[in-house]
Amino acid sequence: MQLKKPAVVGTLESCDVQITLFPNPGKGVEINLDSIVKVMFEKSILQTVREELEKFQISDAIVQINDKGAFDWVIRARMQAAICRSAEVAFDWKGVS
């Protein structure tokens, strides 16, 4: 899947995450993380973000994450929404497990 435009999802409220996704044609993936729990959960957050990019076959993107202590499932949902908005595709609810 190819990203077509910038997309922003989420909020800056407690226990949420704001993710901004930009196309990055031919330049790979760049992830910038700002998190109130970065010391404890940076590795887990980055792994979750990479897993969602791989699931959607995204290989060129800039991902800016402003995390306010979001759970893993919130980060996954926000990533899925950002990818679909950026790629201008509808989310396939049938494929959700």
Side-chain angles (χ1 to χ4, degrees):
M1 186 176 294
Q2 186 173 0
L3 304 180
K4 298 178 181 176
K5 65 179 186 177
V8 179
V9 298
T11 70
L12 297 175
E13 298 295 321
S14 180
C15 298
D16 201 356
V17 61
Q18 185 177 68
I19 296 175
T20 307
L21 193 59
F22 298 94
N24 196 27
K27 296 182 183 170
V29 173
E30 176 185 327
I31 303 172
N32 302 307
L33 174 62
D34 182 22
S35 175
I36 62 171
V37 294
K38 187 173 183 174
V39 172
M40 293 174 49
F41 296 107
E42 177 179 21
K43 193 174 185 178
S44 176
I45 294 168
L46 294 176
Q47 179 180 346
T48 297
V49 169
R50 286 188 180 102
E51 286 174 3
E52 291 305 315
L53 290 170
E54 289 174 15
K55 193 183 298 182
F56 284 86
Q57 299 176 346
I58 304 293
S59 57
D60 297 308
I62 297 172
V63 186
Q64 294 180 341
I65 305 162
N66 194 336
D67 174 53
K68 299 297 182 185
F71 290 112
D72 178 74
W73 56 268
V74 174
I75 297 168
R76 287 186 189 282
R78 296 296 192 196
M79 277 299 297
Q80 292 166 1
I83 291 167
C84 289
R85 282 186 190 171
S86 181
E88 297 181 324
V89 299
F91 186 76
D92 179 14
W93 290 101
K94 296 175 187 172
V96 176
S97 55

